[in-house]
């Protein structure tokens, strides 16, 4: 396992092995294995997540980039490399299979001394092949996820070794099940092995036939006389159609013995080529092409839960940019000064109140509030109106104002400027009454905001408090 | 996809505390973007966030500070018009006046924040004017509209909080029409958010027709994302239900004679189910980009037992049982009888919970041999009943619909209440799809590579999709 630091290092990893090529298949395998590990225990992937975010353009690319980086750090990549070396042993096993089956074919043909019955040889060589091919073709309409071999492999290999290895194997099995990938890969493998076995057997047969004399014929004890020639003729049609030089039955019957042995040997070899080697080669090519096509198209399923969860985490990485920073620090917070006593003449001013608010507020018309104030004005906050109200206050020489505002709204700098204008540099006393508006009352917002004003006026949020402030005014 | 590299910039403007940042959180699906609070003027700088599509930024939203003193600002701008002009030249146009203001001393002094808004507005393709429509249409708001009209940019008014009590949407629509703004988007940053995102982009498309293709691609991308999120969520739910259906706890038969031991067994089973449900909800929150803090809030009912009461409440089970239909009820009955005979449990067992789950279809139909072996060994099994599974599915689907409609500015946690009696989807297909899980105790844990399990999962998914379609009702409804 590599050290965690080796990910960020610009040098190639210290491992002497060749780095694994980054195929989509391997990336997806790593990503899925990591997701399986993460289901049990979350991984610390902050650095890899950020790097993958920069590296990839879209979600699938980013998921794979993260998998490669994280897999490298956690040693999954080297585990995968170890597992791929097992593929070497699989190849040896395959070669042994090829040798065994070609030896079996030769035994079927040459096993009975120098005398060969071609029909018997043909059936013996191609019988098992025909049976397995038929089974494979019949399995095609079934669901592609049926991999018995995968479960066998799992029993053999799964559940052993470190959790990374188990996760990789489970992820591999899952991927093989997806989209019939396993079927085409296995198909390519088995057809390829058969084709190799046929090729080897044919080569050997050609060598044997070249340098040893065999007697080839067809013979029977109980079958009708014409059956075997007809069979030979029937079998020969397909290679002949392919353009292979197969002798016709008439020629076989008319030829002399030595020529007939030669022609029958060719017939046997060409029949094995046309009925055994070529179909297997063709199917191997088709399966390989399909498997390659699917392998190339492998990508993380963007609708899979584990990919969606990564998507959310990637999306959270996108930074917002401050483009016009706040240069003025927050205004200093002034402690609220003690409620200054109001002095007559008094004015009651309603500022930016909702239209349905009764004016003057009926709550205030209590005996405790004393006589009505000198001025009772209400304004919506327009610039012209503000000038008029300020002029009226100056005209009546108002010395104290109770400003009534909607305590449910948000205070703003416009309100602040009007308050400052009302205070007239401290020449006029001011108190605020926060009226509970349609949206209720938000006294915390208001008191926090009032504290940032240069000369914070006292504020009340009940009519009783406002009336009490008005009452003791010296008139 | 063939997009220019530079994103289309849109500025979000409005009065202080109108909900500009909340709108952006919802649009960007970013719960933690900016700072949202009750304090006035929370956002004091202009901040941009890009909407990415295939690694390319397509839109850039600029969050601006509030226009706090539009009346003062308008006075200043108008004064700039009347001021001593240089000779008999033509009157400056509104944008020129704004440029003059931005170059002047007030833009760095008293009106510094407003200047940030106007600077941002100068460089964008369109303005989203966020309005708190609970407010009366005061002169300051009219000034705001006038100032924004001076920016010479297309404006899309967004009526926020239009679902709130005391909203004056009609007053605002009329006032906006006075300023030539007739296309208005209704939106509620906090209330469930249904399709407002789509309507917003559609409206922007008509407002900025030069970039219609960009909006089309964005809409297509968003629709795909939505489908992917739903598919992923349903896969999580299917997995949860499979695990719940295969979950079983074994105990020696004689322990069941003891009421305490029996209760402990039931509690253990319930705990195992809650643990799995919590994990599934946590995954959903992650998939929908809600923060884990929401998980605790959402899961609170799990801890305090309310959820338990909901799921295993006999009354709810009885109601859900009505939706199961005769066939499934018969199946459940047979399984129940077999296990009752074994375990000596009766429907009269002490607690309501015990009555609700006691028994179950532990072995389904497929494993009589195992059943017999267990009987000989003197073991009884507890599993979760069909009715409880159906109810769990229903509650989870309700939660999913709520999560899908939830805005990312919402602060209130999602609550899963008791399901309503009406519009109950037929649970039979779902229960039929879950039946294979009864025969596989190993499916109670996650595993990969088992093809029978993935086939069962696909069947459960299909049933869930059908059920969700029934729950959702006609598409496009609020």
């Amino acid at each position: 396992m590599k050290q965690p630091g080796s990910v960020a290092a610009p040098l190639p990893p210290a491992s002497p092995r060749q780095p694994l090529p980054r195929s989509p298949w391997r990336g997806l395998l790593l990503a899925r294995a990591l997701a399986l590990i993460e289901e049990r225990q979350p991984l610390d992937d902050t650095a890899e997540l950020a790097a993958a975010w920069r590296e990839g353009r879209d979600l699938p690319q980013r998921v794979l980039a993260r998998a490669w980086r994280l897999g490298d750090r956690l040693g999954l990549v080297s585990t995968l490399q170890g597992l791929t070396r097992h593929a070497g042993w699989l190849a040896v096993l395959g070669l042994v299979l090829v040798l065994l089956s070609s030896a079996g074919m030769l035994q079927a043909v040459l096993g009975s001394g120098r005398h060969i019955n071609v029909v018997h040889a043909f059936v013996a060589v191609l019988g098992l092949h025909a049976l397995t091919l038929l089974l494979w073709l019949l399995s095609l309409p079934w669901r592609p996820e049926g991999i018995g071999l995968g479960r066998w492999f799992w029993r053999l290999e799964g559940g052993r070794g470190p959790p990374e290895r188990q996760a990789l194997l489970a992820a591999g099995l899952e991927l093989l099940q997806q989209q019939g990938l396993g079927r085409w890969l296995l198909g390519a493998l088995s057809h390829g092995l058969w084709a190799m076995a046929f090729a080897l057997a044919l080569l050997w047969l050609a060598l044997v036939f070249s340098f040893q004399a065999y007697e080839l014929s067809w013979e029977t004890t109980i079958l009708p006389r014409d059956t075997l020639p007809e069979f030979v003729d029937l079998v020969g049609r397909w290679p002949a159609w392919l353009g292979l030089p197969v002798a016709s039955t008439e020629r076989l019957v008319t030829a002399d013995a030595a020529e007939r042995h030669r022609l029958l040997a060719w017939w046997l070899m060409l029949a094995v080529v046309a009925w055994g080697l070529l179909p297997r080669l063709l199917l191997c090519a088709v399966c390989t092409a399909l498997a390659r096509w699917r392998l190339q198209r492998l990508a993380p399923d963007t609708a899979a839960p584990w990919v969606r969860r990564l998507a959310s985490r990637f999306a959270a990485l996108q930074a917002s940019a401050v483009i016009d920073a706040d240069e003025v620090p927050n205004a200093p917070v002034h402690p609220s000064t003690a409620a200054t006593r109001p002095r007559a003449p008094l004015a009651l001013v309603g500022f930016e109140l909702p239209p349905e608010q009764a004016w003057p507020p009926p709550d205030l018309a209590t005996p405790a509030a004393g006589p009505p104030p000198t001025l009772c004005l209400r304004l919506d906050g327009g610039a012209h109106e503000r000038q008029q109200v300020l002029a009226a206050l100056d005209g009546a020489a108002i010395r104290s104002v109770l400003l009534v505002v909607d305590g449910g709204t948000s205070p703003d700098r416009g309100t602040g400027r009007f308050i400052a204008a009302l205070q007239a540099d401290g020449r006029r006393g001011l108190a605020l009454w926060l009226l509970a508006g349609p949206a209720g009352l938000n006294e915390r917002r208001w008191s926090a905001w009032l504290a940032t004003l240069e000369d914070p006026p006292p504020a009340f949020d009940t009519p009783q408090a406002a009336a009490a402030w008005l009452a003791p005014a010296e008139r | 996809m063939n997009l220019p590299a530079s994103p289309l910039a849109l500025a979000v403007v409005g009065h202080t505390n109108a909900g500009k940042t909340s709108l952006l959180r919802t649009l960007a699906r970013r719960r933690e973007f900016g700072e949202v609070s009750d304090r006035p003027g929370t956002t004091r700088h202009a901040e941009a966030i890009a909407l990415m599509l295939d690694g390319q930024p397509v839109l850039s939203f600029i969050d601006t500070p509030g226009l706090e003193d539009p009346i003062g600002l308008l006075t200043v701008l108008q004064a700039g018009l009347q001021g001593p002009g240089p000779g008999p030249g033509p009157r400056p146009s509104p944008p020129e006046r704004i440029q003059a203001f931005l170059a002047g001393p007030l833009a760095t002094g008293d009106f510094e924040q407003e200047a940030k808004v106007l600077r941002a507005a100068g460089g964008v393709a369109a303005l989203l004017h966020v309005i708190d429509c609970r407010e009366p249409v005061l002169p300051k708001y009219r000034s705001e509209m006038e100032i924004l009209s001076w920016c010479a940019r297309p404006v899309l008014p967004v009526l926020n909080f239009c679902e709130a009590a005391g909203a004056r949407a009609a007053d605002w629509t009329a006032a906006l029409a006075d300023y030539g703004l007739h296309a208005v988007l209704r939106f509620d940053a906090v209330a469930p958010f249904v399709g407002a995102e789509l309507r917003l982009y559609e409206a922007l498309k008509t407002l900025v027709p030069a970039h219609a293709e960009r909006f089309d691609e964005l809409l297509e991308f968003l629709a795909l994302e939505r489908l992917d999120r739903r598919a992923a969520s349903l896969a999580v739910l299917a997995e949860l239900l499979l695990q719940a259906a295969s979950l079983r706890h074994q105990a020696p038969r004689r322990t069941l004679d003891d009421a305490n031991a029996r209760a402990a067994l039931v509690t253990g089973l319930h705990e195992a189910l809650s643990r799995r449900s919590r994990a599934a909800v946590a995954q959903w929150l992650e998939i929908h980009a809600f923060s884990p803090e929401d998980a605790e809030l959402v899961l609170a009912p799990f801890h305090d037992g309310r959820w338990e009461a909901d799921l295993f409440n006999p009354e709810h089970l009885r109601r859900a049982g009505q939706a199961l239909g005769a066939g499934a009820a018969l199946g459940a009955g047979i399984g129940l009888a077999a296990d009752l005979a074994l375990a000596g449990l009766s429907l009269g067992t002490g607690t309501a919970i015990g009555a609700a789950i006691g028994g179950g279809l532990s072995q389904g139909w497929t494993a009589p041999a195992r059943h017999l072996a267990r009987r000989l060994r003197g073991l009884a099994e507890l599993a979760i009943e069909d009715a409880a599974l159906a109810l769990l599915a229903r509650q989870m689907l309700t939660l999913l619909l709520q999560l899908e409609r939830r805005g990312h500015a919402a602060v209130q946690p999602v609550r899963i209440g008791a399901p309503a009696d009406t519009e109950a989807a037929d649970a039979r297909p779902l229960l039929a799809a879950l039946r294979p899980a009864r025969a596989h105790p190993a499916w109670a844990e996650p595993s990969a590579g088992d093809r029978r399990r993935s086939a069962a999962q696909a069947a459960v998914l299909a049933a869930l999709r059908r059920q969700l379609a029934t729950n959702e009702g006609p598409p496009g409804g609020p």
Side-chain angles (χ1 to χ4, degrees):
Chain A
M1 194 180 292
K2 281 169 227 156
Q3 292 305 305
S6 68
V7 176
L11 294 167
S15 165
R17 288 182 206 139
Q18 285 290 312
L20 273 180
R22 293 198 168 194
S23 68
W25 147 255
R26 290 197 192 92
L28 194 53
L29 188 64
L30 283 175
R32 186 64 192 122
L34 282 168
L36 289 177
I37 292 173
E38 279 177 305
E39 267 176 23
R40 297 209 174 82
Q41 174 202 359
L43 301 170
D44 175 25
D45 61 345
T46 323
E48 285 82 8
L49 203 68
W53 162 257
R54 289 189 300 270
E55 223 171 279
R57 268 172 51 85
D58 55 4
L59 180 60
Q61 285 180 13
R62 285 176 178 147
V63 168
L64 294 184
R66 170 184 174 273
W68 278 107
R69 286 175 174 273
L70 202 57
D72 209 17
R73 176 162 73 91
L74 299 177
L76 247 72
V77 173
S78 47
T79 312
L80 183 60
Q81 249 170 326
L83 283 174
T84 17
R85 273 186 309 164
H86 283 309
W89 289 108
L90 274 180
V92 171
L93 188 74
L95 273 182
V96 170
L97 271 178
V98 165
L99 282 174
L100 280 177
S101 41
S102 49
M105 289 178 200
L106 284 175
Q107 170 68 22
V109 177
L110 308 174
S112 51
R114 290 294 170 98
H115 191 80
I116 299 173
N117 180 349
V118 283
V119 177
H120 173 253
F122 177 81
V123 172
V125 168
L126 293 175
L128 188 63
H129 148 78
L131 199 68
T132 52
L133 191 62
L134 193 70
L135 281 179
W136 186 81
L137 287 173
L138 284 179
S139 79
L140 279 183
W142 264 266
R143 300 172 69 95
E145 37 194 65
I147 306 176
L149 210 66
R151 222 158 352 131
W152 272 64
F153 184 66
W154 181 246
R155 274 185 200 151
L156 208 69
E157 287 276 335
R160 291 198 292 120
E164 292 88 25
R165 186 186 151 91
Q166 287 180 36
L168 276 173
L169 286 176
L173 268 186
E174 198 185 274
L175 280 185
L176 285 182
Q177 281 180 19
Q178 274 177 9
Q179 307 162 9
L181 190 59
R183 154 184 290 172
W184 303 123
L185 278 176
L186 271 182
L189 187 72
S190 70
H191 294 316
L193 286 179
W194 269 106
M196 275 165 71
F198 277 125
L200 202 66
L202 280 168
L203 205 68
W204 198 253
L205 214 55
L207 268 176
V208 170
F209 282 154
S210 299
F211 302 112
Q212 286 178 13
Y214 277 87
E215 290 174 12
L216 289 94
S217 66
W218 57 74
E219 54 191 51
T220 177
T221 313
I222 58 166
L223 291 178
R225 197 183 143 74
D226 287 343
T227 312
L228 293 187
E230 273 169 20
F231 181 81
V232 167
D233 184 48
L234 209 65
V235 165
R237 275 186 203 169
W238 164 237
W241 186 82
L242 287 176
L244 297 173
V246 194
S248 62
T249 323
E250 296 89 54
R251 193 147 166 246
L252 285 169
V253 173
T254 52
D256 62 0
E259 177 67 4
R260 197 166 65 236
H261 296 322
R262 197 180 72 82
L263 290 175
L264 274 177
W266 275 112
W267 175 89
L268 184 61
M269 289 195 293
L270 292 176
V272 170
V273 167
W275 289 100
L277 180 64
L278 282 181
R280 289 288 182 175
L281 267 182
L282 189 74
L283 284 173
C284 179
V286 168
C287 284
T288 312
L290 279 171
R292 280 179 73 97
W293 184 64
R294 291 195 191 257
L295 278 174
Q296 289 304 320
R297 280 165 38 107
L298 268 187
D301 174 13
T302 53
W306 62 278
V307 180
R308 279 323 320 167
R309 272 155 51 212
L310 282 178
S312 300
R313 299 184 56 209
F314 277 126
L317 282 180
Q318 194 190 338
S320 57
V322 172
I323 52 176
D324 202 344
D326 188 25
E327 282 144 20
V328 182
N330 276 349
V333 173
H334 298 277
S336 184
T337 50
T340 46
R341 310 286 3 138
R343 292 162 295 169
L346 273 165
L348 190 64
V349 177
F351 180 68
E352 294 189 341
L353 293 173
E356 59 274 6
Q357 173 66 46
W359 189 256
D363 295 346
L364 216 55
T366 55
T374 315
L375 277 180
C376 192
L377 305 166
R378 173 184 185 160
L379 72 163
D380 277 345
H384 185 59
E385 240 181 334
R386 288 187 195 197
Q387 296 306 326
Q388 281 182 330
V389 166
L390 288 174
L393 293 177
D394 282 343
I398 298 295
R399 291 171 68 195
S400 285
V401 173
L402 180 63
L403 185 67
V404 186
V405 294
D406 181 356
T409 66
S410 192
D412 53 31
R413 228 177 354 262
T415 315
R417 293 214 169 98
F418 186 60
I419 286 178
L422 285 178
Q423 285 172 326
D425 293 331
R427 280 180 276 119
R428 208 177 277 138
L430 180 75
L432 242 67
W433 178 18
L434 307 177
L435 217 55
L441 191 61
N442 201 336
E443 61 268 51
R444 272 192 27 223
R445 193 197 290 182
W446 274 88
S447 55
W449 177 79
L450 283 171
T452 64
L453 294 184
E454 267 181 42
D455 184 9
F460 316 111
D461 53 11
T462 59
Q464 292 78 19
W469 186 79
L470 282 177
E474 40 158 299
R475 312 254 159 181
Chain B
M1 206 141 311
N2 193 6
L3 288 169
S6 67
L8 187 69
L10 301 165
V12 180
V13 297
H15 203 74
T16 174
N17 260 44
K20 296 179 290 295
T21 306
S22 295
L23 173 71
L24 278 184
R25 282 187 173 183
T26 314
L27 289 179
R29 300 187 62 81
R30 292 281 296 278
R31 227 189 159 293
E32 74 293 354
F33 172 74
E35 192 186 340
V36 168
S37 86
D38 258 357
R39 267 181 46 222
T42 315
T43 307
R44 297 177 62 90
H45 49 238
E47 186 177 0
I49 185 162
L51 220 65
M52 307 289 275
L53 209 157
D54 280 340
Q56 297 264 28
V58 270
L59 290 186
S60 167
F61 288 109
I62 301 172
D63 194 12
T64 63
L67 278 171
E68 290 208 24
D69 187 6
I71 289 185
L73 181 60
L74 189 62
T75 315
V76 167
L77 290 173
Q78 280 167 340
L81 166 70
Q82 289 151 1
R91 279 157 56 104
S93 74
E96 281 167 354
R97 269 175 266 165
I98 286 183
Q99 284 311 315
F101 160 74
L102 287 177
L106 280 173
T108 49
D110 281 356
F111 290 97
E112 193 236 354
Q113 266 192 49
E114 282 80 359
K116 280 178 191 163
V117 181
L118 294 181
R119 255 199 303 276
V124 298
L127 301 174
L128 294 172
H129 182 190
V130 182
I131 291 161
D132 180 352
C133 69
R134 296 171 301 188
E135 295 276 314
V137 191
L138 294 168
K140 60 180 173 186
Y141 297 121
R142 289 183 181 276
S143 305
E144 209 170 273
M145 294 180 220
E146 191 162 346
I147 293 168
L148 292 180
S149 73
W150 282 27
C151 292
R153 294 276 177 265
V155 177
L156 177 65
V158 180
L159 293 187
N160 196 4
F161 300 110
C162 59
E163 301 291 325
R168 303 166 203 261
D171 294 354
W172 277 101
T173 318
L176 286 163
D178 292 346
Y179 290 86
L181 300 169
H182 298 281
V184 172
L185 189 85
R186 288 157 164 270
F187 172 76
D188 204 313
V190 180
F193 174 77
V194 192
E197 186 186 29
L198 302 185
R199 289 202 303 275
L200 185 131
Y201 291 126
E202 292 284 359
L204 281 174
K205 195 172 116 185
T206 39
L207 215 57
V208 195
H211 296 275
E213 196 188 340
R214 192 187 291 244
F215 286 110
D216 280 337
E217 278 173 4
L218 184 63
L219 284 166
E220 193 187 334
F221 172 75
L222 290 173
L224 278 178
E225 288 273 289
R226 205 168 303 117
L227 284 178
D228 278 354
R229 275 195 300 273
R230 167 168 286 193
S233 308
L234 287 180
V236 169
L237 178 55
E239 176 66 28
L240 167 70
L241 290 173
L242 267 191
Q243 291 188 12
S246 79
L247 193 63
R248 69 198 53 201
H249 281 187
Q250 284 190 349
R253 213 187 316 166
R254 55 191 148 66
T255 59
L256 294 176
D257 298 336
D258 176 12
N260 287 334
R262 207 163 52 215
L265 197 60
V266 169
T267 315
L269 186 65
H270 179 245
E271 178 47 42
L273 179 62
S274 329
R275 202 175 58 240
R276 286 170 173 79
S277 318
R278 274 198 298 273
V281 172
Q283 284 199 45
W284 276 9
L285 288 171
E286 215 178 336
I287 287 170
H288 288 89
F290 291 110
S291 67
E293 287 93 74
D294 276 358
E296 273 186 13
L297 292 168
V298 171
L299 292 171
F302 285 71
H303 294 304
D304 67 20
R306 216 194 87 195
W307 186 78
E308 170 183 310
D310 273 346
L311 184 56
F312 294 108
N313 184 324
E315 177 57 19
H316 292 153
L317 284 177
R318 193 184 59 72
R319 280 191 218 151
Q322 289 169 347
L324 298 187
L330 184 68
I334 291 171
L336 200 65
D339 265 58
L340 284 183
L342 272 177
L345 278 176
S346 73
L347 285 175
T349 23
T351 60
I353 301 168
I357 356 176
L361 294 164
S362 42
Q363 60 290 315
W365 311 89
T366 52
R370 210 168 53 218
H371 183 98
L372 195 67
R374 226 176 17 252
R375 182 170 198 162
L376 291 173
R377 272 155 53 212
L379 285 176
E381 270 189 349
L382 272 187
I384 295 156
E385 258 195 283
D386 270 3
L389 285 181
L391 196 62
L392 175 64
R394 212 164 127 194
Q395 286 189 318
M396 289 294 280
L397 287 177
T398 314
L399 172 63
L400 176 60
L401 288 178
Q402 286 189 25
L403 281 183
E404 285 181 341
R405 289 168 190 182
R406 187 177 158 88
H408 283 69
V411 193
Q412 288 293 312
V414 185
R415 290 209 168 273
I416 331 166
D421 282 342
T422 51
E423 42 106 23
D426 187 2
R428 272 173 296 177
L430 176 66
L431 294 172
L434 283 172
R435 197 145 296 146
R438 299 288 196 190
H440 294 278
W443 291 4
E445 301 300 330
S447 66
D450 182 344
R451 78 194 152 90
R452 272 180 306 182
R453 197 167 191 273
S454 34
Q457 208 163 17
V460 175
L461 256 176
L464 280 175
R465 280 190 189 281
R466 274 199 297 275
Q467 204 161 331
L468 190 63
T470 323
N471 277 15
E472 216 171 6

